């Protein structure tokens, strides 16, 4: 939600901001804008896609700030888009986060003669800066920050200074350190074309950046944060010949799997904490919650450690006892509900672990210990490789905690995943794409796989889909079964096979078209269903990853067949930074 980019150096700053904001499109937005200094302050704002922006070439200069806005306070409109300016249009600000006391600040500013143009909470910031500005932007921003309540990542510029002043509290902001050029962004992806050197700003930091250097303050003190190296290459954030990022990211899964396993092997602290735990609570949202549910099945079955999963937004209603180990799982590391659940558990005295894909993300500052899944940046809103990476991390954790009981799963996945990503699912897509409702069913660990398959399908194809424990169908959803309601079933050999077969017969008896993912050569299953998608004979734990990938591909091809905006589905944002 909301993306920020700022550049100061020697290039055409507005173009750098535009390109950077396009890299952040996946965060979700409805309007955008850029302000540049040349030396006069010029602002261009619009509603819609930044790739369609025509007039940005009119913005000159080597210092600019830009923003993609996901509306919270005020409708998506040119006026409400950032950058927002002061009364004299000499100071411009972009902001990610929410200023909770803006109404009070705005009323006081209006009383003091300020005229507001937008309905946003953000606009109070340039007006407050205007009141304190006497030719030094750093000084003015430092004076107004204590007045702001809420969360922010802010970039500000003022006519007359080729400088960006940035501040961070609770919303992500990174600084790329190049050679006589500096670039701010909400995450590291937009930096990659200019530098691999990155500083992750901390809460309370204020940075002053000019083309000849930068200073970072926290309070009144200058702070020296370490410069980290971005681990991936620019090719990771290009489509590289794929029609969509989602398909590219699906194809990256075999490599990701190995990276993640390695990351767990190197992280002795996480495994040690889990080994000591008497009970575990996992907090996560969406796809991360589905991956976490797979983890809970594995922990209970293999490691015999009681493990429950609570979706981030519900955690506050039944928090965990302090004796429980709490694990927050978030691809982006910015999901507000998951982070606030971790904070609550920390306040109650629980030990906390963050499992995330994004280095330096907010969740890494909240948890006691961090495990990186190392899937590389995921651009498509629909999580694919980051899900596989989470499940891979969980498999390896269980493997290490249990004394290598899941080793066969790891080798099966390494062997078969490269072929499974290009499995033929065209008949399944034909059967499902015109449905208005789909049901996904599985048992045991395949139940969360079914929920994840349904989530993937609904978010990118807009077909209503629900994942159920196969045994639950008879308790209500059976009423939906008819020729128009296809069912996708996960029916691999193993503990759940025979009872799944009975459930599938009951489904077929109600005339519902059936797509089944099963083991190659399973003639009984093939005869029973309408579309059979064979997987190689693998261990049950490998089957969860391989069948999840099949459901990702099915959702992808359905969405393409329906002409959907696959990488940026309507109404969704990649990182959900509001509760
Ligand atoms: C997944 O395809 C979704 N885009 C969504 O459910 C996502 O998994 C959820 O918002 C949680 O995100 P996180 O992993 O970054 O915390």
């Amino acid at each position: 939600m909301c993306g920020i980019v700022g550049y100061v150096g020697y290039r055409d700053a507005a173009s750098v901001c535009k390109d950077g904001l396009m890299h952040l499109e996946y965060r979700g937005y409805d309007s955008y804008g850029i302000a540049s200094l040349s030396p006069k302050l010029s602002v261009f704002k619009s509603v819609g896609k930044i790739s369609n922006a025509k007039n940005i070439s009119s913005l000159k200069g080597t210092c600019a700030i830009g923003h993609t806005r996901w509306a919270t306070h005020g409708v998506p409109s040119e006026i409400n888009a950032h950058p927002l300016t002061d009364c004299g249009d000499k100071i411009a600000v972009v902001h990610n986060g929410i200023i909770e006391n803006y109404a009070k600040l705005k009323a006081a500013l209006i009383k003091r003669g300020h005229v507001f143009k937008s309905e946003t909470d953000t606009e109070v910031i340039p007006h407050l800066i205007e009141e304190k500005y006497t030719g030094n932007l750093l000084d003015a921003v430092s004076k107004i920050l204590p007045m702001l309540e809420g969360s922010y990542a802010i970039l500000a510029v003022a006519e007359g200074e080729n400088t960006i002043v940035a501040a961070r509290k609770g919303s992500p902001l990174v600084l790329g350190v190049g050679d006589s050029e500096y670039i701010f962004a909400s995450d590291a992806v937009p930096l990659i074309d200019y530098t691999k050197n990155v500083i992750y700003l901390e809460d309370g930091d204020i940075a002053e950046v000019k083309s000849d250097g930068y200073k970072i303050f926290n309070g009144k003190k200058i702070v020296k944060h370490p410069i980290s190296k971005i681990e991936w290459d620019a090719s990771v954030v290009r489509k590289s010949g794929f029609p969509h990022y989602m398909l590219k990211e699906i194809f990256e899964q075999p490599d990701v799997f190995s990276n993640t396993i390695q990351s767990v092997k190197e992280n002795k602290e996480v495994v040690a904490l889990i080994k000591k735990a008497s009970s575990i609570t996992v907090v996560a949202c969406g796809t991360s919650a589905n991956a976490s549910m797979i983890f809970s099945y594995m922990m209970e079955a293999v490691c015999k450690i009681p493990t429950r999963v609570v979706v981030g937004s519900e955690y506050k209603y039944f928090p965990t006892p302090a004796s429980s180990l709490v694990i927050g799982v978030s691809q982006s590391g910015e999901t507000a509900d998951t982070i606030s659940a971790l904070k609550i558990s920390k306040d109650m005295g629980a030990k906390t672990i963050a499992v995330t894909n994004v280095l330096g993300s907010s969740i890494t500052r909240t948890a006691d210990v961090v495990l990186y899944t190392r899937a590389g940046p995921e651009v498509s809103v629909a999580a694919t490789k980051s899900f596989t990476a989470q499940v891979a991390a969980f498999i390896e954790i269980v493997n290490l905690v249990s004394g290598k009981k899941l080793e066969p799963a790891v080798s099966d996945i390494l062997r078969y995943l490269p072929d499974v990503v290009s499995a033929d699912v065209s008949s399944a897509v034909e059967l499902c794409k015109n449905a208005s409702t789909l049901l996904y069913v599985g048992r045991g660990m395949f139940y969360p796989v079914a929920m994840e398959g349904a989530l993937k399908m609904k978010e990118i194809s807009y077909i209503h889909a629900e994942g159920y424990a196969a045994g639950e169908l008879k308790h209500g959803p059976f009423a939906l079964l008819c020729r128009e309601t296809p069912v996708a079933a996960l029916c691999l050999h193993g503990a759940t096979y025979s009872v799944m077969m009975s459930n599938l017969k009951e489904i077929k008896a109600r005339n519902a078209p059936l797509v089944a993912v099963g083991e190659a050569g399973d003639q009984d299953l093939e005869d029973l269903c309408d579309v059979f998608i064979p997987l190689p004979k693998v261990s049950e734990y490998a089957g969860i990853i391989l069948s999840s990938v099949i459901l990702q591909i099915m959702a992808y091809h359905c969405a393409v067949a329906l002409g959907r905006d696959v990488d940026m589905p309507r109404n969704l944002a990649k990182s959900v930074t509001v509760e």
Side-chain angles (χ1 to χ4, degrees), residues 285-288 329-333 335 381-383 455-456 459 574 576:
C285 301
T287 289
S288 295
V329 182
S330 172
Q331 183 285 131
S332 62
T335 300
V381 164
L455 175 61
K456 217 83 307 171
E459 76 174 320
K574 182 77 178 163
V576 182

Side-chain angles (χ1 to χ4, degrees), residues 260 264 267 270 274 282-284 288 291-292 295 326-333 338 342 352-358 361 363-364 367 369-374 386 389-391 393-394 397:
T260 309
V264 178
N267 193 323
V270 165
I274 292 176
V282 193
V283 287
S288 295
S292 303
F295 178 59
V326 179
I327 306 180
V329 182
S330 172
Q331 183 285 131
S332 62
T338 306
L342 265 198
T352 55
I353 296 176
V355 177
T356 184
N357 193 35
V358 180
S361 56
I363 203 169
T364 66
V369 178
V370 180
L371 172 68
Y372 288 106
T373 48
R374 285 205 209 144
S386 65
Q390 290 165 346
V391 179
F394 296 144
I397 288 171

